[in-house]
């Protein structure tokens, strides 16, 4: 009889311990142990974000999450997601134009985010006038992560040698003193270049826009193979000014020890680097957890320490003297937040998409083929 009671109590104790362990680990059990992202966002930002998220998951859930990224340009990533057609090899799509995310959701290739209501409502719906830039999808399929301008970087020492102090406007690039000193990519090889030319065309109109493009080409000393090479050759002093540079690309060179300055002129294109969970994702809970993490103060600091800006009005780029955040403020001439002043935006994405190939082809004919002639 005693033996029977002992067996029963042993079973009960085992069950209690098992339930207690299960209850304590339920949050971790709900979160998958892997996360895969497909993204055009630079490794400089992505790797830091994934590393910090893995540390966060370890601290909060006691879980080791294996993270990885498929690095692909925006058109390539968009194409792959379409080819996967609901059987994706990644969980999240991060970065690019919000219009592409709208197209994917229309095809049923994105999952609804279902983020906490308080977090969702804290993100402004749009930013900028007269053409508002959406920061979150009204239907709930994607949300922005950071604010990133495409502007102009310059080497202060080179400009000083040329008798110039700084760059402030797009038209400053037509200054004859810059002849041979501008570096840029071509719009068919660089989405930031293409978007920046669209800004010029939509500001000035096509006729005057192409006249401006020809003047800048006359001052251009190199068309780089990749957009990431533009700030690099300027940082090294091989050229003085870089056109259509994402802020973080230039700032990466600052953190490598080079001296660079940066400006986002009037109506400069800005992206909110949208993020979305792919339909059929193998790790949807880990994907959602990553999005919530990247929208937290800890996640936003990752961006603000890398030459990017917070999606939220309440966070500003700031830190102790000598910190990466304060280096970023010096780099951008004192800019701390997109919400400190009214943002001007004229970029019409529908118009840009409707003539995407046409602009690329025209650029080849009017600029690239005639480059030597324009320089003369």
């Amino acid at each position: 009889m005693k033996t029977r009671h002992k067996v029963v109590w042993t079973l009960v104790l085992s069950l209690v311990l098992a339930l207690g362990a299960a209850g304590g680990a339920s949050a971790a059990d709900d979160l998958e142990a892997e996360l895969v992202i497909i993204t055009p966002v630079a490794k400089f930002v992505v790797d830091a974000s994934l590393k910090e998220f893995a540390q966060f998951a370890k601290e909060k859930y006691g879980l080791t999450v294996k993270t990885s990224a498929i690095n692909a340009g925006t058109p390539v990533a968009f194409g792959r997601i379409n080819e996967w057609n609901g059987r994706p090899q990644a969980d999240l799509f991060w970065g690019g134009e919000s219009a592409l995310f709208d197209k994917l959701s229309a095809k049923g290739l994105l999952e609804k985010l279902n983020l906490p209501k308080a977090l969702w409502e804290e993100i402004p719906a749009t930013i900028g006038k007269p053409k508002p830039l959406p920061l979150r999808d009204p239907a709930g399929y994607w949300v922005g992560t950071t604010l990133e301008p495409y502007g102009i970087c310059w080497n202060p020492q080179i400009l000083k040698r040329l008798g110039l102090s700084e760059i402030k406007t797009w038209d400053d690039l037509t200054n004859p003193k810059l002849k041979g000193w501008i570096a840029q990519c071509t719009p068919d090889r660089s989405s930031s270049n293409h978007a920046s030319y669209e800004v010029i065309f939509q500001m000035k109109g096509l006729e005057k826009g192409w006249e401006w493009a020809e003047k800048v080409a006359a001052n251009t000393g190199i068309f780089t193979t990749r957009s990431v090479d533009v700030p690099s050759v300027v940082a090294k002093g091989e050229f003085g000014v870089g056109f259509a540079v994402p802020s973080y690309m230039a700032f990466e060179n600052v953190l490598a020890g080079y001296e660079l300055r940066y400006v986002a002129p009037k109506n400069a294109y800005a992206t909110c680097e949208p993020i979305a969970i792919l339909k059929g994702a193998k790790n949807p809970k880990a994907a959602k957890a990553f999005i919530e993490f990247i929208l937290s103060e800890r996640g936003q600091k990752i961006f603000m320490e890398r030459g990017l800006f917070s999606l939220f009005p309440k966070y500003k780029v700031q830190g102790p003297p000598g910190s990466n955040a304060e280096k970023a403020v010096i780099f951008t001439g004192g800019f701390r937040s997109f919400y400190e002043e009214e943002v001007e935006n004229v970029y019409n994405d529908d118009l840009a998409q409707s003539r995407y190939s046409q602009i690329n082809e025209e650029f080849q004919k009017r600029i690239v083929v005639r480059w030597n002639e324009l320089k003369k």
Side-chain angles (χ1 to χ4, degrees):
M1 195 73 171
K2 288 181 180 180
T3 302
R4 183 181 174 188
H5 285 164
K6 185 176 180 181
V7 171
V8 170
W9 281 112
T10 299
L11 289 172
V12 170
L13 180 61
S14 299
L15 181 59
V16 169
L17 290 173
L19 289 172
S26 61
D29 289 344
D30 285 341
L31 196 70
E32 303 91 356
E34 189 171 1
L35 178 68
V36 183
I37 296 175
I38 184 166
T39 177
V41 178
K43 284 175 63 61
F44 171 61
V45 175
V46 173
D47 289 355
S49 300
L50 290 177
K51 181 180 179 181
E52 193 69 15
F53 171 69
Q55 182 62 35
F56 164 78
K58 190 78 172 176
E59 293 169 6
K60 182 169 183 178
Y61 304 114
L63 182 69
T64 299
V65 178
K66 179 184 175 183
T67 63
S68 60
I70 301 171
N71 299 107
T74 304
V76 174
F78 178 74
R80 284 192 194 176
I81 294 168
N82 277 287
E83 289 170 5
W84 290 338
N85 196 29
R87 295 184 294 277
Q89 296 174 23
D91 305 302
L92 288 167
F93 178 30
W94 183 19
E97 295 82 11
S98 60
L100 299 181
F101 286 73
D102 290 334
K103 290 178 181 178
L104 291 174
S105 66
K107 292 181 179 180
L109 297 179
L110 301 181
E111 293 280 6
K112 273 207 170 183
L113 298 177
N114 294 318
L115 296 178
K117 184 179 179 182
L119 173 62
W120 185 259
E121 292 181 347
E122 197 174 5
I123 300 167
T126 63
I127 189 171
K129 293 179 179 179
K131 182 69 177 176
L133 172 74
L135 302 184
R136 51 181 167 91
D137 175 25
Y141 286 97
W142 62 263
V143 67
T145 56
T146 183
L147 286 167
E148 173 197 337
Y150 296 166
I152 302 168
C153 70
W154 71 90
N155 186 310
Q157 296 304 316
I158 298 295
L159 255 62
K160 184 178 180 180
R161 195 189 311 166
L162 297 173
L164 299 170
S165 58
E166 60 183 350
I167 303 293
K168 293 182 178 180
T169 71
W170 299 114
D171 287 339
D172 285 346
L173 298 183
T174 64
N175 190 322
K177 289 184 178 181
L178 290 176
K179 187 172 179 62
W181 285 103
I182 294 178
Q184 61 171 308
C185 200
T186 54
D188 59 329
R189 289 179 175 270
S190 165
S191 59
S192 61
N193 183 285
H194 192 284
S196 297
Y197 271 112
E198 268 292 353
V199 165
I200 300 298
F201 296 146
Q202 293 182 27
M203 280 173 56
K204 296 176 177 288
L206 282 177
E207 185 178 346
K208 290 185 178 179
W210 282 116
E211 288 177 7
W212 180 90
E214 290 173 351
K215 290 177 182 178
V216 174
N219 283 346
T220 296
I222 187 174
F223 283 102
T224 63
T225 304
R226 306 176 304 165
S227 58
V228 71
D229 295 328
V230 173
S232 178
V233 295
V234 175
K236 293 172 183 175
E238 296 170 14
F239 296 89
V241 178
F243 169 66
V245 179
S247 58
Y248 71 82
M249 280 189 185
F251 190 63
E252 186 174 3
N253 287 275
V254 173
L255 294 183
Y258 293 101
E259 187 181 8
L260 276 182
R261 293 291 184 271
Y262 188 89
V263 66
K266 181 179 179 180
N267 292 321
Y269 180 88
T271 175
C272 66
E273 296 293 15
I275 195 167
I277 300 172
L278 298 179
K279 186 76 173 181
K282 295 176 183 176
N283 307 294
K285 293 175 183 175
K288 183 180 178 182
F290 178 81
I291 294 174
E292 292 183 15
F293 165 75
I294 218 67
L295 294 175
S296 70
E297 182 176 6
R298 184 171 174 179
Q300 292 292 291
K301 281 184 177 179
I302 296 171
F303 301 131
M304 293 188 288
E305 292 176 350
R306 285 166 177 77
L308 298 164
F309 301 89
S310 178
L311 194 71
F312 298 86
K314 66 180 179 179
Y315 300 133
K316 291 180 173 59
V317 182
Q318 56 189 11
S323 65
N324 287 349
E326 287 305 313
K327 286 179 182 177
V329 174
I330 295 170
F331 163 72
T332 56
F335 195 62
R336 294 182 181 274
S337 169
F338 268 78
Y339 300 96
E340 289 185 335
E341 55 191 63
E342 190 167 346
V343 175
E344 295 176 287
N345 180 54
V346 297
Y347 187 88
N348 183 319
D349 192 69
D350 291 335
L351 175 59
Q353 293 294 327
S354 71
R355 62 187 187 189
Y356 188 90
S357 298
Q358 177 190 339
I359 293 297
N360 288 347
E361 292 168 7
E362 190 73 7
F363 194 92
Q364 286 293 319
K365 294 175 184 176
R366 296 186 66 150
I367 305 298
V368 177
V369 173
R370 298 176 57 234
W371 185 29
N372 288 329
E373 175 191 337
L374 293 169
K375 287 190 288 184
K376 292 176 183 177

mmCIF file of all heavy atoms in Angstrom, residues 206-222:
data_model
loop_
_atom_site.group_PDB
_atom_site.id
_atom_site.type_symbol
_atom_site.label_atom_id
_atom_site.label_comp_id
_atom_site.label_asym_id
_atom_site.label_seq_id
_atom_site.Cartn_x
_atom_site.Cartn_y
_atom_site.Cartn_z
ATOM 1 N N LEU A 206 10.585 67.683 -66.638
ATOM 2 C CA LEU A 206 11.553 66.879 -67.374
ATOM 3 C C LEU A 206 12.560 67.708 -68.164
ATOM 4 O O LEU A 206 13.761 67.433 -68.141
ATOM 5 C CB LEU A 206 10.822 65.905 -68.316
ATOM 6 C CG LEU A 206 10.235 64.653 -67.660
ATOM 7 C CD1 LEU A 206 9.490 63.817 -68.689
ATOM 8 C CD2 LEU A 206 11.332 63.808 -67.012
ATOM 9 N N GLU A 207 12.101 68.726 -68.864
ATOM 10 C CA GLU A 207 13.015 69.497 -69.709
ATOM 11 C C GLU A 207 14.115 70.163 -68.890
ATOM 12 O O GLU A 207 15.313 69.980 -69.163
ATOM 13 C CB GLU A 207 12.236 70.562 -70.485
ATOM 14 C CG GLU A 207 13.106 71.336 -71.472
ATOM 15 C CD GLU A 207 12.318 72.352 -72.283
ATOM 16 O OE1 GLU A 207 11.076 72.293 -72.279
ATOM 17 O OE2 GLU A 207 12.954 73.211 -72.917
ATOM 18 N N LYS A 208 13.747 70.904 -67.864
ATOM 19 C CA LYS A 208 14.745 71.569 -67.035
ATOM 20 C C LYS A 208 15.505 70.555 -66.175
ATOM 21 O O LYS A 208 16.679 70.770 -65.838
ATOM 22 C CB LYS A 208 14.078 72.622 -66.152
ATOM 23 C CG LYS A 208 13.577 73.826 -66.930
ATOM 24 C CD LYS A 208 13.030 74.898 -66.006
ATOM 25 C CE LYS A 208 12.582 76.126 -66.812
ATOM 26 N NZ LYS A 208 12.016 77.184 -65.932
ATOM 27 N N GLY A 209 14.842 69.459 -65.859
ATOM 28 C CA GLY A 209 15.493 68.404 -65.080
ATOM 29 C C GLY A 209 16.652 67.775 -65.841
ATOM 30 O O GLY A 209 17.732 67.550 -65.286
ATOM 31 N N TRP A 210 16.430 67.493 -67.124
ATOM 32 C CA TRP A 210 17.493 66.919 -67.943
ATOM 33 C C TRP A 210 18.617 67.932 -68.175
ATOM 34 O O TRP A 210 19.795 67.559 -68.237
ATOM 35 C CB TRP A 210 16.941 66.418 -69.276
ATOM 36 C CG TRP A 210 16.236 65.096 -69.178
ATOM 37 C CD1 TRP A 210 14.916 64.834 -69.408
ATOM 38 C CD2 TRP A 210 16.820 63.845 -68.795
ATOM 39 N NE1 TRP A 210 14.641 63.502 -69.193
ATOM 40 C CE2 TRP A 210 15.795 62.869 -68.822
ATOM 41 C CE3 TRP A 210 18.110 63.450 -68.427
ATOM 42 C CZ2 TRP A 210 16.019 61.531 -68.494
ATOM 43 C CZ3 TRP A 210 18.338 62.112 -68.091
ATOM 44 C CH2 TRP A 210 17.307 61.176 -68.131
ATOM 45 N N GLU A 211 18.278 69.207 -68.273
ATOM 46 C CA GLU A 211 19.320 70.236 -68.400
ATOM 47 C C GLU A 211 20.208 70.230 -67.152
ATOM 48 O O GLU A 211 21.439 70.330 -67.243
ATOM 49 C CB GLU A 211 18.676 71.619 -68.567
ATOM 50 C CG GLU A 211 18.022 71.835 -69.929
ATOM 51 C CD GLU A 211 17.322 73.191 -70.029
ATOM 52 O OE1 GLU A 211 17.470 74.002 -69.074
ATOM 53 O OE2 GLU A 211 16.626 73.428 -71.036
ATOM 54 N N TRP A 212 19.578 70.089 -65.983
ATOM 55 C CA TRP A 212 20.329 70.010 -64.726
ATOM 56 C C TRP A 212 21.207 68.762 -64.703
ATOM 57 O O TRP A 212 22.386 68.817 -64.322
ATOM 58 C CB TRP A 212 19.346 69.988 -63.551
ATOM 59 C CG TRP A 212 19.993 69.914 -62.203
ATOM 60 C CD1 TRP A 212 20.376 70.968 -61.413
ATOM 61 C CD2 TRP A 212 20.326 68.722 -61.477
ATOM 62 N NE1 TRP A 212 20.929 70.512 -60.252
ATOM 63 C CE2 TRP A 212 20.911 69.137 -60.259
ATOM 64 C CE3 TRP A 212 20.192 67.362 -61.729
ATOM 65 C CZ2 TRP A 212 21.355 68.222 -59.291
ATOM 66 C CZ3 TRP A 212 20.640 66.445 -60.784
ATOM 67 C CH2 TRP A 212 21.212 66.878 -59.585
ATOM 68 N N ALA A 213 20.639 67.636 -65.121
ATOM 69 C CA ALA A 213 21.378 66.371 -65.128
ATOM 70 C C ALA A 213 22.608 66.458 -66.034
ATOM 71 O O ALA A 213 23.670 65.910 -65.722
ATOM 72 C CB ALA A 213 20.465 65.235 -65.589
ATOM 73 N N GLU A 214 22.485 67.146 -67.158
ATOM 74 C CA GLU A 214 23.617 67.308 -68.076
ATOM 75 C C GLU A 214 24.719 68.168 -67.459
ATOM 76 O O GLU A 214 25.905 67.894 -67.626
ATOM 77 C CB GLU A 214 23.129 67.918 -69.397
ATOM 78 C CG GLU A 214 22.283 66.952 -70.224
ATOM 79 C CD GLU A 214 21.665 67.609 -71.457
ATOM 80 O OE1 GLU A 214 21.752 68.858 -71.572
ATOM 81 O OE2 GLU A 214 21.104 66.879 -72.304
ATOM 82 N N LYS A 215 24.326 69.213 -66.734
ATOM 83 C CA LYS A 215 25.318 70.062 -66.073
ATOM 84 C C LYS A 215 26.063 69.290 -64.981
ATOM 85 O O LYS A 215 27.277 69.445 -64.808
ATOM 86 C CB LYS A 215 24.633 71.297 -65.469
ATOM 87 C CG LYS A 215 24.136 72.293 -66.495
ATOM 88 C CD LYS A 215 23.406 73.451 -65.818
ATOM 89 C CE LYS A 215 22.855 74.429 -66.844
ATOM 90 N NZ LYS A 215 22.096 75.539 -66.194
ATOM 91 N N VAL A 216 25.336 68.467 -64.235
ATOM 92 C CA VAL A 216 25.972 67.655 -63.191
ATOM 93 C C VAL A 216 26.890 66.610 -63.829
ATOM 94 O O VAL A 216 27.981 66.339 -63.328
ATOM 95 C CB VAL A 216 24.908 66.986 -62.293
ATOM 96 C CG1 VAL A 216 25.565 66.022 -61.303
ATOM 97 C CG2 VAL A 216 24.111 68.043 -61.540
ATOM 98 N N ALA A 217 26.460 66.038 -64.949
ATOM 99 C CA ALA A 217 27.295 65.060 -65.665
ATOM 100 C C ALA A 217 28.592 65.708 -66.144
ATOM 101 O O ALA A 217 29.657 65.077 -66.146
ATOM 102 C CB ALA A 217 26.531 64.479 -66.844
ATOM 103 N N ALA A 218 28.511 66.989 -66.550
ATOM 104 C CA ALA A 218 29.709 67.708 -66.990
ATOM 105 C C ALA A 218 30.714 67.854 -65.855
ATOM 106 O O ALA A 218 31.923 67.943 -66.087
ATOM 107 C CB ALA A 218 29.318 69.082 -67.527
ATOM 108 N N ASN A 219 30.226 67.864 -64.615
ATOM 109 C CA ASN A 219 31.099 67.957 -63.441
ATOM 110 C C ASN A 219 31.471 66.598 -62.862
ATOM 111 O O ASN A 219 32.246 66.512 -61.915
ATOM 112 C CB ASN A 219 30.414 68.783 -62.342
ATOM 113 C CG ASN A 219 30.461 70.273 -62.615
ATOM 114 O OD1 ASN A 219 31.215 70.727 -63.473
ATOM 115 N ND2 ASN A 219 29.645 71.041 -61.905
ATOM 116 N N THR A 220 30.868 65.534 -63.409
ATOM 117 C CA THR A 220 31.088 64.191 -62.871
ATOM 118 C C THR A 220 32.410 63.606 -63.355
ATOM 119 O O THR A 220 32.704 63.622 -64.547
ATOM 120 C CB THR A 220 29.916 63.263 -63.269
ATOM 121 O OG1 THR A 220 28.712 63.755 -62.657
ATOM 122 C CG2 THR A 220 30.159 61.828 -62.809
ATOM 123 N N GLY A 221 33.174 63.102 -62.396
ATOM 124 C CA GLY A 221 34.468 62.508 -62.731
ATOM 125 C C GLY A 221 34.422 61.001 -62.818
ATOM 126 O O GLY A 221 35.314 60.374 -63.389
ATOM 127 N N ILE A 222 33.359 60.389 -62.262
ATOM 128 C CA ILE A 222 33.241 58.929 -62.302
ATOM 129 C C ILE A 222 31.792 58.503 -62.136
ATOM 130 O O ILE A 222 31.030 59.109 -61.377
ATOM 131 C CB ILE A 222 34.106 58.264 -61.191
ATOM 132 C CG1 ILE A 222 34.120 56.735 -61.340
ATOM 133 C CG2 ILE A 222 33.609 58.669 -59.805
ATOM 134 C CD1 ILE A 222 35.064 56.029 -60.364
#
